[in-house]
Amino acid sequence: MNPRKSRTISTSIPESTFLTLQKLAEESSRTASGYIRWLINRHLWELENAKKAEEPPPDQ
């Protein structure tokens, strides 16, 4: 098994999207790549919490 703790993802986005990301990143004192990491983590967190909210409560 690979001992690396992170993976690299590469994607292409339109210039306008990059400029928007870059602006939002600067406003939050992040780099563009740091802001993308934050967005991904935030989205995954929201999905996980939405999934938990949909689950029925355990039997008591």
Side-chain angles (χ1 to χ4, degrees), residues 30-46:
R30 292 179 168 90
T31 61
S33 56
Y35 189 75
I36 292 168
R37 275 190 300 276
W38 178 82
L39 281 175
I40 292 169
N41 287 325
R42 176 65 186 241
H43 184 67
L44 292 174
W45 181 85
E46 289 174 354

Side-chain angles (χ1 to χ4, degrees), residues 19-34:
L19 293 174
T20 301
L21 281 169
Q22 193 172 37
K23 180 182 176 207
L24 292 168
E26 288 174 9
E27 290 173 1
S28 64
S29 301
R30 292 179 168 90
T31 61
S33 56

